[in-house]
Amino acid sequence: MKLTKRMKNSILQGISFSVIFFVILLWVFFILIYPQITQIEEKKKEFANTFQDLQTISKDWLWFTDFKSIIQSKTTDSYIRSILINIDKGFFDQNFTNTWTTSYLEYLKEREQYVQEKKSSSEFIRKEQSLDQLLPTYDKDNSFAGEGLTDFYFINSIENLLYTFNLSYIWDIGVGELINVEEEQNSASSSQQSNQANEAGASSLIENIYRIPISLSIEGQKSDIIDFLHYFENVSSVSISNEGFNVYEDSFIGKRIEWSAPSVDYNIYENQLADISSVQIRDYPDSSSLQTEGLIAAMKWPQSKEKLDIEIEISFYVAWVPSYKMQTLIQEFIQKQKELWAKIKQNAQKYSTQKYKYSDDSNSLVAIQKIESLSLLMLSFDDEVKKISPKLWKLDEIELLYEQVLELANKLDRIESYYNQQLEILTKQ
């Protein structure tokens, strides 16, 4: 059959349409469908890898490098961050790697139970309490709600010691200065090297040790003076081992420190570390002869009731507040300042627009004016606070920053109290 021209055109049109349709199908496939298929395949692989990682983590936990990376980027709690960031690989493998056949969650529950049992054991509690007694943390302003040694309790403890040994004293007892033991022991050049080394491997868990020198002129019976000197000769005699520490003990002193809790195994030397820096005796201590043989025994017994005056300087040792606690307090202060300023600013604007309501109340108008003034004061206060945040994680500056924040916190407390007084005037009905 001979194709007509019309038939040829129809065939050509059909072929052209098929080609165009096929091209459109190819375009749709490669441009729209194929990328989705590729993406689905990639997601399947990603899911498989994630599932495999999840199974591994569920069983064995993270790799040490991944663990460290997460701590650096995700942990905001300064105490937890300080503990975890100082964990080495050996400790991590020993305590964080699951060696059981069960899941890691079951392993964690067992570890948690183990730690809780250790912390609640009488031995652990006793050692923790003993350590707090031997080297208390000095917290002069009671910033941590009774967790440390304040000036008041430090002075009270010295007075208890003097009372225990029946001694009278001259000169006021107080904290005149705090001396960093490490800095004192190092020369200027070696101290600089030490500071550089500490800065390179600094940990916010480290507590610096300070000594507080106290000078006294005391008077008492010879037997009590001997007991007093013997006490300070041995109160810092602590032996340290892998199992813990042991405090010196003997029966030379038959006394118990006033207001200390009685116990069957009471040890008078289990107290704040201290030693004698210097001692001067005005008169020769032996009233019977100039022979020093048996001097202590003579003063302790035959001459026990005779009076003796001595001048003595004693160094009491304390731990400084750990850096992580300083960081926590500073963070809490910054947050409190932000919240208080927001309240003052909001109420300053609110009551400024409502002055007409208090036109007949002069006290309320004055209170509004004072809140407006506080808003301006908090604006300048905020400038000081903004200088703190960049220094928060610099451990070599944290002590100075902590002292600065304590002063600012006192100011903030006074501002808050003053603000609440004005608000009380405005809200009374």
Side-chain angles (χ1 to χ4, degrees):
M1 178 179 177
K2 187 177 180 180
L3 296 175
T4 65
K5 186 174 181 181
R6 184 176 179 181
M7 294 173 66
K8 289 180 180 181
N9 289 335
S10 296
I11 293 171
L12 287 174
Q13 288 177 357
I15 293 172
S16 299
F17 177 78
S18 299
V19 169
I20 292 172
F21 180 74
F22 181 70
V23 170
I24 291 173
L25 285 178
L26 288 177
W27 182 86
V28 170
F29 178 78
F30 283 105
I31 300 301
L32 300 178
I33 298 176
Y34 182 74
Q36 292 185 17
I37 294 174
T38 305
Q39 188 176 11
I40 290 171
E41 289 298 321
E42 289 176 354
K43 286 187 177 296
K44 286 170 64 178
K45 290 180 181 179
E46 183 181 348
F47 175 79
N49 292 333
T50 302
F51 182 72
Q52 182 63 40
D53 291 341
L54 178 62
Q55 286 185 314
T56 302
I57 292 172
S58 298
K59 174 61 176 64
D60 300 322
W61 194 229
L62 298 169
W63 294 101
F64 179 67
T65 52
D66 296 333
F67 177 76
K68 283 285 189 177
S69 177
I70 290 173
I71 292 168
Q72 292 280 10
S73 59
K74 301 295 184 183
T75 308
T76 57
D77 186 283
S78 58
Y79 175 65
I80 295 176
R81 186 175 185 271
S82 300
I83 291 177
L84 297 181
I85 205 167
N86 286 282
I87 290 176
D88 58 31
K89 191 175 187 304
F91 184 89
F92 180 87
D93 291 341
Q94 183 178 356
N95 295 280
F96 284 80
T97 302
N98 185 12
T99 55
W100 294 11
T101 56
T102 57
S103 69
Y104 194 78
L105 287 177
E106 291 296 324
Y107 174 75
L108 278 182
K109 288 179 182 178
E110 188 278 334
R111 291 284 87 187
E112 182 181 11
Q113 183 179 354
Y114 172 79
V115 171
Q116 291 298 332
E117 289 175 355
K118 282 287 185 183
K119 290 181 68 175
S120 59
S121 67
S122 58
E123 180 66 15
F124 180 88
I125 294 172
R126 187 191 68 80
K127 286 184 177 180
E128 194 172 51
Q129 291 173 342
S130 296
L131 185 59
D132 288 338
Q133 284 183 304
L134 294 173
L135 198 63
T137 299
Y138 181 63
D139 182 17
K140 66 176 181 178
D141 296 305
N142 198 23
S143 304
F144 298 98
E147 293 182 19
L149 180 70
T150 63
D151 285 354
F152 173 79
Y153 285 107
F154 173 67
I155 293 169
N156 185 253
S157 68
I158 298 176
E159 290 176 341
N160 286 347
L161 278 172
L162 293 167
Y163 188 86
T164 298
F165 290 100
N166 305 307
L167 302 174
S168 58
Y169 64 93
I170 304 173
W171 300 344
D172 293 332
I173 299 174
V175 181
E177 60 178 332
L178 284 163
I179 301 171
N180 187 302
V181 173
E182 184 179 6
E183 291 179 1
E184 185 181 39
Q185 291 177 344
N186 294 331
S187 64
S189 58
S190 62
S191 176
Q192 184 178 2
Q193 294 173 358
S194 174
N195 288 339
Q196 290 172 351
N198 287 339
E199 187 175 346
S203 166
S204 62
L205 296 174
I206 294 175
E207 301 177 34
N208 291 323
I209 307 301
Y210 283 78
R211 71 178 182 90
I212 304 173
I214 300 292
S215 296
L216 295 169
S217 178
I218 61 177
E219 180 187 37
Q221 294 182 353
K222 286 183 178 180
S223 60
D224 293 324
I225 294 285
I226 286 296
D227 285 349
F228 186 72
L229 295 175
H230 184 83
Y231 171 83
F232 282 104
E233 182 184 7
N234 295 288
V235 72
S236 59
S237 299
V238 180
S239 59
I240 300 174
S241 62
N242 292 332
E243 288 74 29
F245 57 88
N246 294 302
V247 180
Y248 176 85
E249 189 172 6
D250 67 17
S251 57
F252 188 87
I253 302 174
K255 297 179 175 70
R256 179 174 62 84
I257 295 177
E258 289 294 326
W259 296 290
S260 61
S263 63
V264 176
D265 56 348
Y266 178 79
N267 181 4
I268 194 172
Y269 304 104
E270 198 166 294
N271 212 328
Q272 184 177 1
L273 296 179
D275 57 26
I276 298 172
S277 302
S278 67
V279 60
Q280 293 181 352
I281 303 176
R282 295 173 184 172
D283 300 316
Y284 190 73
D286 190 352
S287 62
S288 62
S289 70
L290 297 179
Q291 300 296 321
T292 57
E293 185 177 355
L295 176 62
I296 293 176
M299 293 175 67
K300 177 75 172 172
W301 288 285
Q303 304 171 22
S304 62
K305 294 186 181 300
E306 295 179 6
K307 294 287 186 177
L308 189 66
D309 295 338
I310 68 171
E311 293 183 1
I312 189 170
E313 181 179 307
I314 306 168
S315 291
F316 293 86
Y317 295 91
V318 295
W320 193 246
V321 178
S323 297
Y324 79 86
K325 283 193 174 182
M326 298 185 204
Q327 290 169 335
T328 300
L329 183 139
I330 293 169
Q331 287 175 310
E332 290 174 351
F333 163 75
I334 293 173
Q335 184 61 31
K336 179 180 177 180
Q337 184 270 338
K338 287 180 180 178
E339 292 174 357
L340 181 59
W341 187 27
K343 291 178 185 177
I344 293 175
K345 188 163 51 175
Q346 180 182 6
N347 279 314
Q349 294 172 350
K350 171 185 172 182
Y351 287 108
S352 293
T353 58
Q354 297 179 1
K355 281 184 180 180
Y356 64 92
K357 294 182 179 180
Y358 306 93
S359 57
D360 296 331
D361 187 349
S362 60
N363 289 335
S364 295
L365 291 174
V366 171
I368 293 173
Q369 186 179 1
K370 289 179 178 179
I371 291 180
E372 290 172 342
S373 299
L374 283 178
S375 182
L376 295 174
L377 177 62
M378 288 296 290
L379 180 62
S380 61
F381 195 87
D382 186 63
D383 292 335
E384 292 186 69
V385 175
K386 285 179 179 177
K387 297 174 184 176
I388 293 173
S389 296
K391 302 176 184 177
L392 182 57
W393 302 106
K394 296 180 180 179
L395 296 184
D396 56 323
E397 299 181 18
I398 194 66
E399 288 190 21
L400 291 175
L401 194 64
Y402 171 67
E403 293 288 341
Q404 179 187 351
V405 166
L406 287 181
E407 293 181 8
L408 292 174
N410 288 332
K411 291 181 182 178
L412 191 65
D413 288 341
R414 291 195 295 270
I415 291 173
E416 183 178 28
S417 176
Y418 189 70
Y419 162 70
N420 287 333
Q421 290 174 12
Q422 311 316 312
L423 201 60
E424 186 176 350
I425 294 171
L426 293 169
T427 54
K428 73 179 190 310
Q429 294 293 339

